[in-house]
Amino acid sequence: MLLEDERAAVCEYARRMTADGLVVGTSGNVSVRSGDLVAVTPTGVDYDALAPGDITVVDLDGSVVDGELRPTSELPMHLTVYREATDPDGAPVAGVVHTHSVHATAVSTLVDEVPPIHYMLATIGPSARVASYATYGTPELAEAMLAALEGRRGCLLANHGTVTYGKDLGAAYHRAQQLEWLCRLWLLARSAGTPTLLPQPEIDHIVTKLRGYGQPAR
C-alpha cells in the first residue's frame, strides 16, 4: 500500500478534527504530501470509520494512483497549496488542513482579516486574510484561497471555513486550532464591548520572534 504511514496520519487527524469540534459529519478534509504523491481524505465518508486503506492517494495533477474511493471534493484546494503556496520562511509544505470550524466561519462573514486580538495570530503570519467566497470544490475557490495565503500559512474562506498548511500535518493542524481559538476569542471580546487590538508592528515582531521558538533541532 502506497504511503502507509501518511494514510494512517490522515485518518488520525481527520478523527481529531471531529473530536475537537473543527468539523461536523464528513465536512472538512486533510492531506499529507510525500514527494509527488498526496494522501487525502475521501469524499463523503464518516471519519470515525476511516481506515488507512480508505485514504485516497493522488498525484499532483489529481489523478488517483492508489485507493478505491473518490478523493475529497476540495482536492483542488489541497493541490493548489502543494503546487503553488510558499511558506514565508521557505519551509516545505507537506500537510494541509481544511476545517468548517464555527467561530472562524462566523468571523469570515464579518471582516476581511482576522483582527489582531492576540499575538498568536503570528502563527499564521502578519495577518489572516479572508478569501472571497466561491463555490466549494471549484478552481475559483482554490484561486481565491491562494491569493489570501500569499505570505501566510493559513486563511479563512468567506462563509465556509479555514485552510492551514505546514511542514507536516501536525503543524498544519496546530495552526487550524490556533486560528479557531483566535476567532473565538475575538467574537467573545466583541460581544462584550470593543476589543483592544494589538498594533501591526507588534504582530510583525512576534512573527520574527516565533522563528526561534521551541527546542533547537537535533
Side-chain angles (χ1 to χ4, degrees):
M1 185 168 66
L2 290 174
L3 305 190
E4 187 170 356
D5 291 343
E6 289 81 0
R7 283 165 135 167
V10 167
C11 289
E12 175 189 350
Y13 280 95
R15 285 192 283 269
R16 282 188 62 179
M17 282 201 306
T18 301
D20 292 342
L22 298 180
V23 298
V24 174
T26 62
S27 64
N29 27 78
V30 301
S31 67
V32 177
R33 177 179 181 175
S34 178
D36 292 331
L37 298 178
V38 175
V40 64
T41 43
T43 187
V45 177
D46 186 342
Y47 293 148
D48 287 338
L50 276 182
D54 298 322
I55 303 305
T56 309
V57 177
V58 300
D59 62 22
L60 293 176
D61 292 324
S63 298
V64 175
V65 298
D66 198 17
E68 300 297 323
L69 301 178
R70 287 187 295 125
T72 173
S73 58
E74 296 292 12
L75 185 62
M77 279 204 307
H78 289 258
L79 296 181
T80 295
V81 173
Y82 291 126
R83 289 193 305 251
E84 301 187 48
T86 303
D87 184 274
D89 292 336
V93 179
V96 175
V97 173
H98 166 46
T99 80
H100 286 185
S101 50
V102 172
H103 299 93
T105 304
V107 170
S108 80
T109 70
L110 297 171
V111 296
D112 294 326
E113 289 187 331
V114 177
I117 189 73
H118 192 278
Y119 66 81
M120 286 306 289
L121 180 62
T123 60
I124 301 299
S127 68
R129 303 186 184 104
V130 179
S132 56
Y133 181 80
T135 303
Y136 80 92
T138 61
E140 290 78 14
L141 178 58
E143 290 170 9
M145 171 209 68
L146 187 63
L149 284 177
E150 184 177 357
R152 313 293 189 270
R153 298 182 180 91
C155 69
L156 306 188
L157 307 171
N159 302 82
H160 186 155
T162 74
V163 172
T164 53
Y165 68 80
K167 65 180 181 179
D168 53 37
L169 193 46
Y173 192 80
H174 172 72
R175 290 181 181 128
Q177 289 178 302
Q178 291 289 350
L179 195 49
E180 171 65 0
W181 181 83
L182 285 159
C183 291
R184 182 180 180 186
L185 177 64
W186 181 70
L187 288 170
L188 180 62
R190 185 172 178 267
S191 70
T194 303
T196 299
L197 302 177
L198 293 173
Q200 189 60 48
E202 175 61 11
I203 299 296
D204 294 340
H205 171 64
I206 298 299
V207 169
T208 301
K209 190 176 177 66
L210 284 175
R211 292 185 181 128
Y213 181 76
Q215 300 299 317
R218 296 184 177 181

